[in-house]
Amino acid sequence: MNEQQSAEQTVETGYSPLHQLLTGISDWIISHQTALQIACAVFILSAVFTLLYIFHKFRRRVNDMEDTRTNIDPHTGKTRPAVKSVEMPKVSNPDLDGFDTGTDTPFKNNEVVPEEEAAKIDSPVPLGTDNTAAAPSQPDDCGSVKESSSVPEPVETVVNEPPPKPTPPIIAFTFQTERDGKPVSFITNEIKKRIADFQIPNATVDTDYEFIFDFSIDELKIVSEQPEAQPKINSTLTDNGFSVELLEGNRIRFYGKPKMDYNGKIYFLHQTAEAFQEKQSKRAEGQSEPLYNNFQDSKPFIINAHPKSLWKDLPCVGTDENGNPYDNYGDYENADSVSSGEVVSYTSAKSFEVIAASIRGRSHAHVGKPRDDAYYYEFDGRQQTADGSNAGWNFITVADGAGSAKHSRKGSEIATRTIVQTLRSALTAEFTKVIFTDRMEQIQRWKNEFADADGKLAPETEKEFVEKSQLDKVLYIAVREAFVKIHNEAEEYKKKHPDTKINDYNTTLLAAAFRWFPELNDGKGGWFIVSYWVGDGGATILDDTADAVGGSRKTPRKVFVLGEPDGGEFAGQTRFLTMKEEITEEKVRKRLRFTFCDSFEAMLLVTDGITDPFFPSEAAVVDEPRWLEFYEKKFKGGCYEEPDGCKEIFDDTIDPQKKSEALLKWLKFWSKGNHDDRTVLIVRPTTFVKPNN
């Protein structure tokens, strides 16, 4: 386009090319206004962050140039320079001779502090010339201030240093090469690779621990010929119950039973044999000992506190209607623990003892709740009198009040006492004579069939036995009486507390009535036991010395379980005596168990605080060999953290009351996840004769 045409176009449009260009740019800016705003914002933010970064770097550089801190001069009240704190290692550590690790702060920034750095530690900065400070002004007799003419005393420099840190755990050892000439870097790398592979398992306080550090590296070995070069640990580990032992194949056994918890690292210090010898030579010559051949690594190491130490033991405190605390926890007091023991004779030549103990579980102690278990017993088993006034029956029972029921401790107390007292009133000497003594021939036949049937009466025989003995009716009356008394207690308590229900008193119940019949077995005598069991827990008779049932069985019967446990649909559920549907003749009859035996070593009743840790399922509770193992190994051989067991139970020279106190101590054993109330009642023959005094 020529100039004339351009001029003509300008005349026609009224705009010059420059004007058109500016107009196009303006239109573009308007159409891209949002994008430009974002770009401007990004630019401004970038500029701000850049300026902040430059300012930060400037401040850090200024701080790095500062080699002193300021403190307040106590004499002038003004600020003054002070010494920068430097962690100084000790020259020698008696725990680790040959390694300059120090005893208080052996590491700085996770590294051994070299001697060169230690030599450069700043001296105290003087406050004036000649390393002295001007003496403070002294007041004269008139109270005005005058300058002191006395010689100024040196002033001790105040250094703001942190308190000394405890010595970290250290394992130290010396390596040497199988062949000469291996470079230090080879040794360092091989050892560091192996340490990097270690994953040290956590330990637990008061629990045995062992871990093997495997340094089976080709052409290297830990020096063992020199006693001073054996693997060592410092006092931090030895005081906490650990030891080390050098095993074959460059393996270090690290073991012990820690006494306290720890969450940090174990530091490994290792050096070549050549470096060790050089250090020894330098030390002997009084020269500075080299540190450049010492290598340091660390690995995380945790010692967990024992769970037992985390449980609280709070007193039981209830609240009244106004929410104020008081000590008897809802009107029903219950001791945290109780134990008792007694010797009872059942013939002129024999006797047996009862040993019982009950303790509040950790789960209750942790929140200040009371013990809900209960036990009760009465003995009428002493030698029968000539007039028959002594019926000769013995009664034992335990109960576990439901932890979710706020008055269950009262329910368990009422249940145990009521069933024993009702049975004792029903099983009179006259009743015993009519039902048992006058038909001893029939009783003997039932006993023999019981033995031949492997400890269980045939259905026809059992039906005949129940109908003749009427024991199902006697037990039904006793169980119903216990239910009625608990119901009456709830109704009475409801007068003051309208929201009270009978299931606030929920409780299980295990009970047994047993008697020695001298007429059985052609005058040799034998035991008969009737038992009732509702809920969880366990009841059993054990005999590891003789055939418990006699008869024609070739294999002696060692154990009889006196019923079956009740489990609900879900874990932790069970049945209770306080459930109305349980109080029928049919239900009570199904829960009865009749047992004959010629002798027994022990009869046991326990609550679920015992069965849960040792019998973790209903099948385990009725597993007879498992009961014998529990009795022989856990009582005699030890239990969890009570390694000595409760051997006092088996010593006939010890008074039964002392045995019950030992049993109470044993009940404190630790079992993970099992912290319910625990109750054990044991009856066993004994030769102990109670002193007259």
Side-chain angles (χ1 to χ4, degrees):
M1 179 181 298
N2 55 32
E3 295 179 359
Q4 184 179 357
Q5 292 174 332
S6 175
E8 293 175 353
Q9 182 177 359
T10 301
V11 172
E12 293 176 357
T13 61
Y15 297 104
S16 66
L18 178 60
H19 185 274
Q20 293 177 358
L21 175 62
L22 294 175
T23 301
I25 293 174
S26 176
D27 293 339
W28 184 87
I29 291 174
I30 292 173
S31 63
H32 294 80
Q33 182 176 3
T34 302
L36 288 173
Q37 289 175 343
I38 295 174
C40 290
V42 171
F43 175 79
I44 293 172
L45 289 174
S46 300
V48 170
F49 281 118
T50 301
L51 291 174
L52 290 174
Y53 177 76
I54 294 172
F55 179 75
H56 175 70
K57 294 289 289 185
F58 175 77
R59 287 291 305 272
R60 289 195 61 181
R61 185 172 183 84
V62 171
N63 290 338
D64 290 340
M65 295 175 64
E66 294 179 356
D67 59 355
T68 62
R69 296 193 304 267
T70 58
N71 294 310
I72 301 299
D73 190 323
H75 303 293
T76 65
K78 299 180 180 180
T79 59
R80 67 180 185 187
V83 180
K84 182 169 62 178
S85 175
V86 177
E87 295 178 322
M88 180 187 295
K90 301 288 182 67
V91 175
S92 177
N93 183 354
D95 289 329
L96 298 171
D97 190 21
F99 292 87
D100 291 314
T101 62
T103 56
D104 292 322
T105 54
F107 305 113
K108 180 181 179 182
N109 299 326
N110 289 332
E111 295 294 336
V112 176
V113 180
E115 290 185 349
E116 292 79 7
E117 181 178 344
K120 296 178 182 179
I121 296 178
D122 296 334
S123 299
V125 178
L127 298 180
T129 58
D130 300 327
N131 292 332
T132 61
S137 299
Q138 304 291 332
D140 60 15
D141 294 337
C142 297
S144 61
V145 177
K146 63 180 180 180
E147 294 297 322
S148 173
S149 60
S150 61
V151 179
E153 293 289 334
V155 177
E156 181 180 355
T157 302
V158 178
V159 180
N160 292 337
E161 294 188 12
K165 299 178 181 179
T167 307
I170 300 171
I171 298 178
F173 49 90
T174 299
F175 264 99
Q176 73 177 16
T177 57
E178 291 285 356
R179 294 189 313 201
D180 295 335
K182 281 291 182 184
V184 172
S185 59
F186 169 81
I187 301 173
T188 304
N189 291 335
E190 290 299 313
I191 298 173
K192 285 182 176 289
K193 287 179 184 177
R194 185 52 54 91
I195 292 177
D197 291 337
F198 292 149
Q199 297 295 331
I200 307 178
N202 294 350
T204 301
V205 173
D206 291 333
T207 303
D208 290 330
Y209 180 87
E210 180 182 66
F211 183 67
I212 305 297
F213 297 102
D214 189 354
F215 287 99
S216 54
I217 305 172
D218 293 341
E219 301 178 333
L220 294 176
K221 71 176 181 179
I222 298 176
V223 176
S224 59
E225 293 81 5
Q226 306 175 64
E228 64 273 21
Q230 287 270 12
K232 297 182 180 180
I233 56 178
N234 65 341
S235 58
T236 302
L237 286 172
T238 56
D239 291 347
N240 204 4
F242 286 102
S243 301
V244 291
E245 178 185 5
L246 181 61
L247 306 177
E248 295 182 0
N250 283 350
R251 297 180 303 146
I252 298 176
R253 178 178 175 239
F254 177 54
Y255 64 99
K257 181 181 285 189
K259 302 175 183 178
M260 63 191 74
D261 58 305
Y262 173 77
N263 189 341
K265 295 180 178 181
I266 285 184
Y267 288 84
F268 296 87
L269 303 180
H270 46 97
Q271 64 184 356
T272 64
E274 293 83 357
F276 175 77
Q277 294 171 0
E278 182 179 0
K279 287 167 65 67
Q280 294 291 82
S281 299
K282 294 290 186 180
R283 178 176 295 181
E285 296 171 2
Q287 301 181 20
S288 176
E289 303 171 14
L291 295 173
Y292 53 83
N293 274 342
N294 281 355
F295 313 115
Q296 174 196 328
D297 295 283
S298 65
K299 298 292 290 187
F301 182 52
I302 296 175
I303 305 174
N304 295 312
H306 197 289
K308 183 168 60 175
S309 66
L310 305 178
W311 289 91
K312 299 176 183 178
D313 189 6
L314 302 178
C316 297
V317 178
T319 55
D320 60 19
E321 295 176 352
N322 299 320
N324 299 317
Y326 61 106
D327 292 339
N328 62 357
Y329 206 95
D331 298 331
Y332 298 127
E333 295 186 35
N334 205 6
D336 291 349
S337 63
V338 62
S339 63
S340 53
E342 184 177 351
V343 175
V344 179
S345 299
Y346 62 83
T347 70
S348 58
K350 298 180 180 180
S351 61
F352 62 82
E353 62 186 4
V354 61
I355 309 160
S358 181
I359 190 170
R360 182 172 68 153
R362 291 184 179 90
S363 59
H364 284 179
H366 188 70
V367 294
K369 290 186 61 178
R371 175 176 57 92
D372 292 326
D373 281 8
Y375 69 82
Y376 188 73
Y377 56 82
E378 288 188 9
F379 297 98
D380 202 11
R382 297 170 178 82
Q383 187 176 10
Q384 284 85 351
T385 57
D387 60 2
S389 60
N390 192 320
W393 287 92
N394 311 290
F395 309 94
I396 58 176
T397 181
V398 302
D400 176 11
S404 59
K406 57 184 177 181
H407 302 316
S408 63
R409 60 197 174 283
K410 188 63 176 180
S412 61
E413 176 194 338
I414 294 173
T416 54
R417 290 180 176 272
T418 301
I419 196 168
V420 167
Q421 293 168 356
T422 306
L423 285 175
R424 186 170 188 178
S425 298
L427 297 177
T428 62
E430 182 180 0
F431 176 89
T432 303
K433 182 176 184 300
V434 172
I435 298 300
F436 289 94
T437 308
D438 289 351
R439 57 175 64 165
M440 191 53 60
E441 185 176 328
Q442 193 174 31
I443 297 291
Q444 183 68 54
R445 175 173 63 82
W446 288 335
K447 188 264 184 186
N448 291 338
E449 291 186 13
F450 175 86
D452 293 338
D454 198 27
K456 187 175 182 180
L457 290 172
E460 301 80 13
T461 305
E462 185 174 3
K463 181 180 179 181
E464 179 188 4
F465 174 78
V466 171
E467 290 176 352
K468 297 290 185 181
S469 68
Q470 302 181 41
L471 286 175
D472 59 333
K473 293 180 174 57
V474 172
L475 265 296
Y476 167 70
I477 293 172
V479 170
R480 186 178 183 280
E481 182 66 16
F483 174 86
V484 169
K485 283 201 172 184
I486 293 174
H487 182 273
N488 291 342
E489 176 69 24
E491 289 297 315
E492 185 66 24
Y493 195 80
K494 189 175 182 179
K495 293 178 181 179
K496 294 183 179 180
H497 306 275
D499 60 341
T500 302
K501 303 177 293 294
I502 190 171
N503 58 11
D504 290 336
Y505 297 78
N506 279 350
T507 181
T508 67
L509 182 64
L510 291 85
F514 56 102
R515 188 184 191 277
W516 173 260
F517 286 97
E519 302 89 352
L520 284 173
N521 301 322
D522 298 327
K524 296 179 181 178
W527 288 99
F528 170 71
I529 305 100
V530 55
S531 53
Y532 172 79
W533 181 342
V534 58
D536 47 24
T540 188
I541 293 176
L542 306 104
D543 189 347
D544 62 358
T545 59
D547 185 347
V549 297
S552 60
R553 296 181 72 252
K554 296 181 179 179
T555 304
R557 181 66 174 271
K558 300 293 186 182
V559 182
F560 295 98
V561 178
L562 302 180
E564 295 182 1
D566 286 296
E569 181 179 355
F570 303 101
Q573 290 186 333
T574 189
R575 305 293 294 175
F576 297 111
L577 174 73
T578 40
M579 293 178 172
K580 189 175 182 180
E581 60 269 24
E582 290 294 335
I583 312 303
T584 67
E585 289 191 50
E586 181 182 4
K587 285 290 185 68
V588 172
R589 168 67 194 89
K590 288 182 178 180
R591 295 186 178 281
L592 296 184
R593 183 69 60 90
F594 307 102
T595 306
F596 294 92
C597 67
D598 297 335
S599 64
F600 65 86
E601 181 176 346
M603 188 182 304
L604 272 66
L605 270 61
V606 303
T607 59
D608 66 341
I610 298 298
T611 55
D612 285 350
F614 297 110
F615 306 87
S617 67
E618 290 186 26
V621 173
V622 296
D623 183 4
E624 296 172 344
R626 190 160 186 155
W627 278 99
L628 190 59
E629 179 184 6
F630 165 74
Y631 180 73
E632 291 183 337
K633 293 186 177 180
K634 302 309 178 183
F635 276 140
K636 291 183 180 179
C639 160
Y640 294 93
E641 292 190 1
E642 299 294 334
D644 295 331
C646 190
K647 298 179 181 178
E648 293 89 342
I649 292 176
F650 308 95
D651 188 345
D652 284 342
T653 66
I654 298 177
D655 184 276
Q657 181 59 39
K658 296 292 185 182
K659 292 185 179 184
S660 70
E661 294 168 4
L663 180 60
L664 193 64
K665 179 181 177 182
W666 179 84
L667 288 176
K668 299 177 182 179
F669 66 81
W670 175 262
S671 176
K672 183 179 179 180
N674 298 298
H675 308 292
D676 199 1
D677 297 346
R678 295 167 178 167
T679 300
V680 175
L681 190 152
I682 306 173
V683 177
R684 61 185 302 272
T686 180
T687 58
F688 178 82
V689 178
K690 191 172 184 178
N692 293 330
N693 56 358

